[in-house]
Amino acid sequence: MQRLQDRVAVITGAGSGIGLATARRFAEEGAKVVCVDLDEPSGAKAADEVGGLFVKADVTSEDDVVRMYQTAFDAYGSVDIAFNNAGISPPDDDSILETGLDAWRRVQEVNLTSVYLCCKHVIPYMRHQGKGSIINTASFVAVMGSATSQISYTASKGGVLAMSRELGVQFAREGIRVNALCPGPVNTPLLQELFAKDPERAQRRLVHIPVGRFAEATEIAAAVAFLASDDASFITGAEFLVDGGISGA
Ligand code: NAI
């Protein structure tokens, strides 16, 4: 399927997990992919594999965010799709009673402020083109909260969801769609890191997933490709759950 033929897509966190799977899927569907990551070896490898460009950038830096879209535009002449996906897991004890202000601020910075910066600096390109699709990675916890203490993470993802809704509504008439992707637990390094610290957490999570397993990153990438494509032309401002039924259970 070539739904994304010649569309220019910028993916943050493209070196691993959901971002990497999406870079592969976008390339399969014909897109020109710009892989952004803080981690140079993995980001460069991803770009090489999909025949795209690598931009080493820290999504918490406004200068870096400006530069990554400028690089994409200079190379390919447009920025059609922004998958604002880079993120970090919660700090070790992320209960409201234990999380320190520095840890809280760090999570907001990487998971939420980065999405603000990416939207702020990609929308002018899309406005000029009169079209564009932005997909911001939130999480199922943005919709339903989490019984495992991860208050800074949940709050950051709630912010991503709210921001996506507002931008989706605000820019709909300019042809720019903005959606919040809300994955359930996905088998990626981020999740494996959490479970390595607390092995019982995996079992606690698993019992709440109606399909009885964690998602593979390729299953999330399929949903992102749909949202990025014209097949989703009437979808904007949505909380797009890809969660194995977890939010309905
Ligand atoms: P991952 O850890 O496999 O990949 C994240 C990538 O983001 C890494 O390559 C990392 O180097 C990059 N990154 C981190 N900080 C960065 C920064 N400041 N600037 C640029 N790049 C940076 O994680 P995964 O699981 O693929 O997660 C992707 C997104 O999906 C995150 O926003 C995460 O919160 C979200 N998510 C993940 C779920 C899961 O169960 N894995 C569930 C729901 C949401």
Side-chain angles (χ1 to χ4, degrees), residues 12-19 36-39 42 57-60 85-88 106 110-111 137-140 153 157 182-191:
T12 68
S16 176
I18 296 168
V36 176
D37 210 290
L38 189 57
D39 184 72
S42 65
D58 179 344
V59 289
T60 68
N85 164 74
I88 52 172
R106 178 69 189 149
V110 180
N111 290 1
T137 304
S139 166
F140 72 100
Y153 184 84
K157 295 302 187 178
C182 300
V186 190
N187 187 16
T188 68
L190 182 144
L191 198 73

